[in-house]
Amino acid sequence: YNPGKPLSEQNAARYYLDYETFAAMWSQVKALRTTRHPDAELEGQPAGYTLSTALYRLRSRPTQLSGSGRITITTRGDKWQTVPLPFKGTQLSEIKLNGQPASFQDGALLIEKPGRHLVEVEFELPIAEGEHSASWTIPRTTGSLIEIEMDSDLAEPVLQKNWPLAKTTNPNGQVLYTAALGRSEKITFRRRLITSGRTMTRPTSAVIDARLFVAQGLEKLEANYRLNFEGQEDNRFTIFFEDTFTPVEFAIPNLSVWEIVDHPDRNLRELRFSLTQPVENSFSLRFTGERITAGQERRFPELGAMAGRVEQQRSILRADGIAVKATPGQRHRQIPGNDGNEASGFYPVAAFSLNG
């Protein structure tokens, strides 16, 4: 952020911890470092080397998958280490160690000198015509990430058993799908037509129950969306939320692919997402976000959904010791509020309904 501007005027692209939380977490990390030997063996990996992180980039075509990978390896102890890299089910075309051709035999890499090393691989995964699927094995690391580029706007990837994928567009206009693999070793991939398994249904109505928790210097928003499409089914939906809020959680059952599109002219962010399978009649999800405040006058956050009609219930709750004055707009109608969550120190201020 820019320290020369008020925090309330800045929309952070990252989630920032308050100092007390950061200090507590940092103390825990330091305690862990002092109680563990630097050469301590990680679970499932020998003490002589560690495969720490990996990033794979995949390019999908109707009959072929090609890709590349970057793996970070740390060796220690002996001058020479033999590190197994079990790439099974792939056709390796190139493997480099620290930018130079590597000594790779019988599925193992020979590394000289203790320290940090970068392994780069190029590989292909043939796909049988008509099947549009593949499976392969990668080396186990403490954390792996995969990025998939599709050659068509009409196709999307399915990873593992419908793992959630983040959909983005790079500066060149290419659509990319990203997923965290964690410590997974076996990868399964399927190419699916975007139009499969759904109808072009737009919810007839959306009901949004939003609660704004006002505390000193911070506001938390909890919004429950219910999308209604009685007698129909769909697996693709769109909701909106104000861009002054940093997302903390999207609670979406059976999430498959999601994408956030910014609309700075409207101060809104659009969340487009699809499910692993169609649902009937209605669908519910929850959005949680936070924003930093500085006591200035402000509006209740804008929310919405791609639906024929949108109904909203807006509740404001305050922390103990905070004074809040709620002034309704012309389209608002005051309704009975809930009891709040006094056990957590929040008390109801006002509640309103809004249609349209």
Side-chain angles (χ1 to χ4, degrees), residues 18-71:
D18 58 83
Y19 179 78
E20 290 76 12
T21 303
F22 170 78
M25 295 177 66
W26 184 244
S27 297
Q28 293 176 4
V29 171
K30 289 195 295 184
L32 181 64
R33 287 179 174 176
T34 56
T35 56
R36 293 183 59 183
H37 190 275
D39 289 338
E41 180 177 323
L42 294 179
E43 180 184 352
Q45 295 194 10
Y49 60 86
T50 300
L51 279 68
S52 53
T53 60
L55 171 62
Y56 296 97
R57 289 189 168 91
L58 218 59
R59 296 174 294 277
S60 173
R61 304 295 181 264
T63 59
Q64 186 183 57
L65 276 174
S66 60
S68 61
R70 294 167 60 90
I71 307 170

Side-chain angles (χ1 to χ4, degrees), residues 73-149:
I73 301 177
T74 301
T75 60
R76 48 190 174 270
D78 297 338
K79 181 178 179 180
W80 292 92
Q81 292 285 352
T82 301
V83 181
L85 295 179
F87 285 100
K88 298 179 180 179
T90 66
Q91 298 175 357
L92 288 177
S93 57
E94 184 178 48
I95 180 166
K96 292 182 177 181
L97 175 64
N98 301 323
Q100 301 298 322
S103 175
F104 187 73
Q105 295 182 351
D106 300 324
L109 187 68
L110 186 62
I111 300 180
E112 181 186 8
K113 297 180 181 180
R116 186 182 178 93
H117 307 276
L118 176 64
V119 177
E120 299 171 279
V121 297
E122 297 282 342
F123 57 87
E124 292 186 358
L125 295 146
I127 298 180
E129 187 173 355
E131 293 185 2
H132 305 296
S133 62
S135 63
W136 66 99
T137 300
I138 60 174
R140 184 183 186 186
T141 69
T142 55
S144 296
L145 192 71
I146 190 169
E147 182 182 84
I148 305 171
E149 174 195 332

